[in-house]
Amino acid sequence: MKIYPSNQTLEFWSQNYFTDFDLFFVNNIPFKNEHASITSKDSFKESSSFDIKTNNLYEFWNLNDYNYVIQSTKGWFEQLECEIQEYIIKEQCRVNNPLFFKTNLITLNSWYQLSKPFKVQFFNDRIEEYQDNVVPLHLKVTLPDYLNSIVNTFPLHQGSNCLSTVLYAITEDLDILDQWIKEDSFLNTLNILGYTKSSEPSKKGDIIVYSNNKSIIHASYQVEDELFINKNGQTIFNPYKLITIVDLEKNWGMYNKHVYRQQH
């Protein structure tokens, strides 16, 4: 079975999906004397404009090669000469800008002029591209209300990741669920709450952590024998799901596995 966002979630996304500026990724600068900020590829990631929302909106990890980032205000692109617009559009197609959709380049200005059905189609198509919205029908488990409320739903905010999902599961703190939790914060919280590594097989209430030699890659919370509350990725297109140990190992089993258990 495939799952999709609720109407309420879609409405929230529609109103909050964009940042308050446009970004365009190009190899060359096709204009002079235009009021826009031009930053090199590496320098932009060190700027104040680069945060989790911007990162996820443009999916920087999927972009093909480019030299410059053009940052502009709402409506800037639309007032450019046609030749310059055409160059920028071709570049967005080439670099795999996710806002180049069905031969159209979506900008901050055009987004709020698009119809509701178009936006719904855009979001659902993005979800299909992630291929993370398939859930099994046969899984039956009784969960606490705070966990049951998120199963098979999509986050409202960009950044909610596997680590924030696990911390929500063990703290019931809804504010944590919306955060982009990083490794140091995750491990510090586990330590404060009395979770330590265990050499025993995992059981209900344990946390499974997958890591490489340098850092944590993924984490999931065990709710029953071989069943886990899980979120793949940090985008709004990655839902909260109930999955089996088989699916967990299929996606993350190539990494080193650790069991964290709370000491009472």
Side-chain angles (χ1 to χ4, degrees), residues 51-116:
D51 57 16
I52 186 62
K53 185 173 182 178
T54 303
N55 189 24
N56 285 4
L57 174 61
Y58 292 98
E59 298 178 358
F60 275 74
W61 59 90
N62 281 332
L63 295 178
N64 296 326
D65 221 20
Y66 60 94
N67 294 324
Y68 301 102
V69 180
I70 302 172
Q71 180 175 338
S72 66
T73 57
K74 181 180 179 181
W76 175 87
F77 174 81
E78 284 76 12
Q79 59 84 38
L80 292 172
E81 295 179 2
C82 291
E83 294 81 2
I84 299 175
Q85 285 189 14
E86 289 174 3
Y87 172 77
I88 291 177
I89 289 172
K90 288 179 180 178
E91 284 291 87
Q92 303 326 291
C93 178
R94 180 185 64 79
V95 303
N96 196 36
N97 183 337
L99 298 182
F100 183 81
F101 179 71
K102 295 186 181 298
T103 73
N104 296 307
L105 177 60
I106 302 173
T107 65
L108 175 59
N109 187 61
S110 65
W111 176 254
Y112 291 103
Q113 299 175 26
L114 295 172
S115 68
K116 183 176 180 179

Side-chain angles (χ1 to χ4, degrees), residues 5 29 44 48 73 81 134 173 190 221 224 242 245 263:
I29 304 302
F44 181 79
S48 60
T73 57
E81 295 179 2
V134 177
D173 186 346
L190 292 191
Y221 178 73
E224 284 292 349
L242 186 65
I245 186 63
Q263 305 302 312

Side-chain angles (χ1 to χ4, degrees), residues 24 43 60 72 77 103 121 138 140 142 148 173 184 193 222 252:
F24 307 101
S43 295
F60 275 74
S72 66
F77 174 81
T103 73
Q121 186 64 53
H138 65 281
K140 303 295 182 182
T142 302
N148 194 55
D173 186 346
D184 58 344
L193 295 177
Q222 188 162 345
W252 307 101

